[in-house]
Amino acid sequence: MNETELVSIGEVARKFGVPTSTLRYYEKLGLLAPAARRGRVRWYGPAQLRRLMLVKLYTDTGLLSLRAVSRIIAAGPRGRASQEVIEQHVEILDQRMEKIRQAQEYLRHHQDCHYPNPSQCPALRDDLQQRVDSLMDGR
């Protein structure tokens, strides 16, 4: 796709897996303006498609609201509001990824544990008890 080629709203919706109503809603929020309108049809160029991809990358995590995405994009990469939102969400993502890593580790242990019932595994039991004790000590 060259920099001057335009794609209709219908094709963008199909390729990106979003309803056309979502693209119109993004326009209403100021997140995504079409490059052109011909009659009632919105047309998007490469710059708009890259912006849509960025919005999708941020929102597909389920973590960033459209309002937060709008703040990040509107403020630009060096804006104070943008930096605050980014830092907050990066920290939340780091925490989630750590929890996912731990869950993955426990699932692998369950999968590989030679005990018929993983709850009988001393290593797992000790680790879980340590976590319970740590949590309960913080009452």
Side-chain angles (χ1 to χ4, degrees):
M1 173 176 218
N2 66 46
E3 284 297 317
T4 59
E5 192 175 339
L6 299 179
V7 182
S8 73
I9 189 172
E11 185 174 350
V12 171
R14 278 189 302 282
K15 297 285 185 175
F16 280 79
V18 298
T20 56
S21 59
T22 296
L23 298 174
R24 289 190 291 275
Y25 183 62
Y26 288 174
E27 181 180 356
K28 182 179 176 182
L29 293 178
L31 283 170
L32 181 69
R37 288 179 83 139
R38 296 184 191 140
R40 294 177 49 200
V41 179
R42 292 163 172 84
W43 294 84
Y44 300 90
Q48 291 77 33
L49 298 179
R50 288 189 296 269
R51 186 168 179 135
L52 176 58
M53 183 58 71
L54 182 61
V55 170
K56 281 191 57 60
L57 286 170
Y58 286 156
T59 58
D60 283 353
T61 65
L63 178 63
L64 288 167
S65 67
L66 286 175
R67 183 172 183 240
V69 172
S70 181
R71 283 181 58 200
I72 291 169
I73 291 174
R78 300 289 178 242
R80 187 175 144 263
S82 175
Q83 287 303 312
E84 289 172 1
V85 170
I86 290 169
E87 287 171 13
Q88 174 188 16
H89 287 87
V90 165
E91 176 63 28
I92 292 169
L93 284 172
D94 285 344
Q95 291 169 4
R96 285 187 180 179
M97 289 181 349
E98 176 59 21
K99 287 180 179 182
I100 290 169
R101 188 200 58 73
Q102 288 176 2
Q104 182 183 44
E105 185 179 307
Y106 282 105
L107 287 170
R108 285 199 174 122
H109 181 87
H110 276 86
Q111 186 178 37
D112 299 335
C113 187
H114 67 274
Y115 285 87
N117 182 338
S119 65
Q120 297 170 338
C121 175
L124 181 61
R125 185 181 58 239
D126 291 347
D127 184 66
L128 293 173
Q129 188 60 54
Q130 204 173 25
R131 290 172 181 272
V132 168
D133 291 346
S134 175
L135 184 66
M136 296 307 288
D137 288 345
R139 287 186 230 185

